[in-house]
Amino acid sequence: MKHITIVVPAGKGTLSTVTCIASTFEVFATANSYWKQREGKELFRIESAGALEQTEVYDGVFTLKPQVNISAIGKTNLIIIPPVAYTDQKFKQENNLLVDWIIQQYRKGAQVASLCSGAFMLASSGLLNGKNCSTHWANAGALKAMFPEVNVQADHLITDEDGIYTNGGAYSFLNLLIYLVEKYYNRQTAIYCSKMCQIELDRNSQSPFTIFTGQKLHGDEMVKAAQAYIESRLDEKVSFEHLSSRFSVGRRNFDRRFIKATGNTPGEYAQRVKIESAKKSLETTRKTVNEVMYEVGYSDVKAFREVFRKLTGMSPLEYRARYNKEASLQAV
């Protein structure tokens, strides 16, 4: 029988830590039950493990007690890392033993999956260096700043690379669990779990849920000023040649600094702030798509729709239908 280890981090946990651990048990128990009915035996033994006897969560409202200590597990097949309180200064020190154990198990052939902010623990192991990684879109900037060698993909719901899996944020961890069920069991078992647990199947992007707040977690004051300039001129087509000259910086150097600080080219950044403004209008007003388009500086409907779909995964009309029921029947 194969083995799944759900790790229980040391230190302060979050409510999401409890939710993800409990839900992981439930989804894989459902998969095991279905597999046993068809194959006569369970495929996995599911076990929680940690380096301490217990972890307090949410100021002691919950207490998590691992079933076993990690020292008792010589080999496992799949490690699940739940969300962690990565802002806690003591977190890394308190979890050194657990992180070292994860590295050792990966080297022995185990695969590793992180849920939401569990990516911070996984990144601290170095196993994500040079690899793609997803996390909650709201945590992406902090993850990039703390672990610059990790290729953070904030729009991805799931990444799968060299036996390492990561997912986006909040309850999208359920989609990664279904993905893992299909990978380790089969498609039919994943469909069954999807129906029993009522989890959407084959969802692969968190883009529709992203709120772009601008990447400001950097220390380049020139770039911050450029960002403010772009954000204040949503209805204009900003000339980046002109903008770089305002700061007495050559265009190539301007682009280089902007990309280093934000992860986007100036053009990409302008697109994202324009589309974020358009999303808010589509959510809260009865304006037509054309009116919204003109407000954010686009005059070509086709170009606007292409950029909107690229950044949200859906058309402007589809977006409005999902988030603004009152306006969804209006003509474009």
Side-chain angles (χ1 to χ4, degrees):
M1 184 183 293
K2 295 181 179 179
H3 187 268
I4 293 177
T5 302
I6 305 171
V7 301
V8 179
K12 294 179 181 178
T14 68
L15 289 177
S16 295
T17 310
V18 179
T19 301
C20 287
I21 289 175
S23 298
T24 300
F25 267 106
E26 183 173 11
V27 169
F28 278 102
T30 302
N32 260 347
S33 176
Y34 181 77
W35 191 264
K36 187 175 182 179
Q37 290 175 17
R38 303 176 77 84
E39 303 295 330
K41 61 180 180 180
E42 294 183 342
L43 185 60
F44 277 101
R45 180 161 62 94
I46 311 161
E47 201 166 39
S48 64
L52 299 180
E53 289 187 4
Q54 66 181 39
T55 295
E56 285 197 355
V57 177
Y58 206 61
D59 294 329
V61 174
F62 297 99
T63 300
L64 294 171
K65 295 183 178 181
Q67 291 169 285
V68 298
N69 190 280
I70 52 172
S71 61
I73 301 175
K75 191 177 189 317
T76 190
N77 300 99
L78 176 63
I79 299 168
I80 308 287
I81 304 173
V84 297
Y86 68 90
T87 56
D88 184 354
Q89 296 299 314
K90 296 181 181 178
F91 176 80
K92 185 174 180 181
Q93 181 180 351
E94 291 174 329
N95 284 280
N96 278 338
L97 285 176
L98 190 49
V99 170
D100 288 344
W101 179 82
I102 291 169
I103 295 169
Q104 292 166 11
Q105 290 296 321
Y106 181 72
R107 288 172 179 167
K108 290 180 181 180
Q111 301 197 338
V112 187
S114 68
L115 310 179
C116 191
S117 61
F120 286 82
M121 175 178 276
L122 183 53
S124 72
S125 72
L127 296 177
L128 278 173
N129 288 353
K131 294 184 177 66
N132 291 325
C133 170
S134 184
T135 189
H136 195 294
W137 54 262
N139 296 334
L143 187 63
K144 286 180 183 178
M146 290 175 68
F147 304 101
E149 293 182 49
V150 176
N151 301 325
V152 180
Q153 304 291 330
D155 58 329
H156 287 28
L157 193 73
I158 293 169
T159 66
D160 175 349
E161 192 172 349
D162 296 336
I164 294 179
Y165 311 92
T166 67
N167 95 287
Y171 288 90
S172 71
F173 76 89
L174 294 167
N175 300 102
L176 176 57
L177 296 182
I178 293 296
Y179 180 88
L180 292 172
V181 167
E182 180 172 356
K183 192 135 190 169
Y184 278 90
Y185 294 80
N186 57 27
R187 177 71 174 181
Q188 196 57 45
T189 306
I191 292 172
Y192 176 79
C193 290
S194 172
K195 290 180 177 179
M196 290 300 294
C197 300
Q198 299 191 37
I199 303 168
E200 186 180 349
L201 199 64
D202 297 330
R203 191 179 141 220
N204 56 23
S205 174
Q206 60 178 335
S207 295
F209 303 96
T210 302
I211 302 172
F212 183 68
T213 56
Q215 300 100 330
K216 306 290 175 61
L217 298 176
H218 60 81
D220 193 322
E221 295 303 322
M222 184 274 287
V223 173
K224 287 182 181 179
Q227 289 173 278
Y229 183 92
I230 292 169
E231 291 164 9
S232 68
R233 289 162 172 77
L234 290 177
D235 60 341
E236 299 176 17
K237 184 174 181 179
V238 175
S239 165
F240 298 113
E241 289 285 353
H242 170 70
L243 187 55
S244 61
S245 68
R246 281 177 60 94
F247 298 105
S248 302
V249 177
R251 175 63 192 275
R252 182 177 296 180
N253 190 36
F254 175 81
D255 286 358
R256 181 187 60 77
R257 286 175 61 177
F258 201 100
I259 293 168
K260 182 180 179 181
T262 70
N264 292 124
T265 67
E268 289 167 344
Y269 190 87
Q271 284 183 342
R272 295 193 68 172
V273 294
K274 287 174 182 288
I275 295 305
E276 189 60 36
S277 178
K279 284 162 58 182
K280 286 182 171 63
S281 289
L282 292 170
E283 292 167 13
T284 59
T285 74
R286 297 180 66 85
K287 293 175 182 175
T288 67
V289 171
N290 280 0
E291 288 172 328
V292 171
M293 175 188 74
Y294 292 131
E295 280 186 351
V296 295
Y298 282 87
S299 57
D300 184 325
V301 175
K302 183 180 178 182
F304 175 69
R305 286 175 175 162
E306 285 178 353
V307 173
F308 195 97
R309 183 177 289 280
K310 182 179 99 172
L311 294 179
T312 68
M314 59 182 71
S315 72
L317 283 176
E318 289 169 337
Y319 188 89
R320 185 174 62 182
R322 176 177 291 190
Y323 293 110
N324 189 340
K325 295 298 182 183
E326 290 184 8
S328 63
L329 297 179
Q330 276 188 257
V332 181

